[in-house]
Amino acid sequence: MLRELDSGVLLRLLDLQAHDSAIKRLWDQRDTLPEKQRLGELRDNLAELEADIAIARQQSEDAARVQSRLEGEITLADEKIQRQEARLFAGSVSNPRELSSLQAEVAMLKRQRGASEDELLEAMVHRDTVDQTLGSLTAEQAQSASAAEELGVTVTRLTGDIESELASHTKQRDSVATAIPADLLDLYEKIRATKGGVGAAALKGSTCEGCHTQLPAKEAERIRAEGGLQRCDNCRRILVVV
Ligand SMILES: [Zn+2]
């Protein structure tokens, strides 16, 4: 029965193949959009940035806590020094041993205060560094987030365009398929499944457009003369004379 196919049906098969090839190309295009890949990278980068920011924020909080502890210690030391110096200068302590012990205590408090001040300076420098890191990470995050948002819009638009092209080809494909005999369609699908998505190919001159092989002139002539269902000797795809 397939031998008796008229050329109109075979040409429809070629039309079907064109739609199927377009559909496959659009699927590939949709799945490999460079913008989509870039968006994935941006989102991965954002996730990493957020983790880094969480660490930097913790470090900044720790640094602020250290600074305020040292500031508190210095204030307390100042108060203590003032109190003891007031006692010294008021002349209320007259016992020489008590006096020298008070002087020694003031000197020790001042040494401790000096050490705390050195520590405070270091803590402030460290806090500055940590806050700068936090600031630049936050700025980078904002920039990446806005780039990702923009790219997300582009990906949605591009995907939408591809989807509508896909819908159009699918609709046309289904309409063409209804006018093709079921057994021919079945054979076409079976070949297509094993031949990279191409089940039917045009015979142009003596060249099979499926495998781009030139058939012997006699073979091409025979195919043209016989008509009906013919297959390429080389790739076994259905050949359609055009
Ligand atoms: Zn071929």
Side-chain angles (χ1 to χ4, degrees):
M1 181 199 159
L2 284 177
R3 285 273 159 199
E4 290 147 26
L5 289 168
D6 68 49
S7 62
V9 167
L10 286 163
L11 285 172
R12 271 199 289 280
L13 191 65
L14 216 50
D15 193 15
L16 185 75
Q17 177 65 71
H19 288 301
D20 279 336
S21 294
I23 289 168
K24 188 170 178 284
R25 176 179 52 80
L26 288 163
W27 279 344
D28 288 348
Q29 205 181 327
R30 184 189 56 188
D31 296 342
T32 59
L33 270 180
E35 289 83 355
K36 201 168 165 181
Q37 205 180 329
R38 173 89 191 98
L39 182 60
E41 286 165 8
L42 260 179
R43 284 179 176 157
D44 287 349
N45 185 37
L46 263 176
E48 274 176 37
L49 271 174
E50 270 154 29
D52 289 346
I53 284 171
I55 294 169
R57 190 165 287 140
Q58 185 61 55
Q59 285 175 340
S60 168
E61 282 168 15
D62 291 347
R65 206 170 300 122
V66 169
Q67 184 180 337
S68 104
R69 173 178 60 78
L70 288 167
E71 282 165 351
E73 278 175 20
I74 288 169
T75 307
L76 271 181
D78 279 343
E79 284 166 10
K80 228 171 179 178
I81 290 166
Q82 267 176 20
R83 226 172 20 246
Q84 303 302 56
E85 276 183 338
R87 280 180 69 202
L88 270 180
F89 299 133
S92 54
V93 180
S94 51
N95 180 325
R97 272 182 63 186
E98 208 183 322
L99 200 61
S100 82
S101 123
L102 194 56
Q103 279 165 340
E105 193 193 341
V106 168
M108 185 209 64
L109 284 169
K110 284 186 172 170
R111 272 199 309 277
Q112 276 179 356
R113 189 197 184 283
S116 292
E117 247 180 352
D118 289 348
E119 245 188 283
L120 176 62
L121 264 175
E122 271 175 44
M124 284 165 82
V125 169
H126 172 65
R127 191 184 174 187
D128 268 359
T129 310
V130 165
D131 283 352
Q132 265 171 27
T133 304
L134 179 60
S136 67
L137 283 172
T138 309
E140 197 184 335
Q141 182 203 31
Q143 210 174 16
S144 284
S146 107
E149 202 185 321
E150 209 174 302
L151 202 54
V153 172
T154 305
V155 168
T156 305
R157 179 174 51 75
L158 291 174
T159 307
D161 290 350
I162 293 173
E163 292 289 354
S164 73
E165 255 192 274
L166 265 173
S168 152
H169 277 294
T170 304
K171 197 175 158 199
Q172 292 178 75
R173 182 228 185 264
D174 291 348
S175 146
V176 172
T178 56
I180 294 171
D183 46 1
L184 178 60
L185 203 57
D186 194 41
L187 177 65
Y188 162 79
E189 292 292 5
K190 278 188 180 124
I191 300 171
R192 203 160 75 88
T194 59
K195 296 281 175 187
V198 181
L203 177 69
K204 265 192 187 158
S206 59
T207 303
C208 163
E209 297 260 289
C211 61
H212 304 284
T213 296
Q214 200 161 2
L215 308 182
K218 271 201 166 165
E219 173 69 358
E221 254 171 60
R222 181 194 64 76
I223 291 171
R224 284 177 193 283
E226 273 183 20
L229 180 78
Q230 300 286 349
R231 293 173 68 174
C232 171
D233 269 350
N234 184 52
C235 68
R236 304 302 298 149
R237 293 187 175 98
I238 299 167
L239 276 177
V240 180
V241 176
V242 293

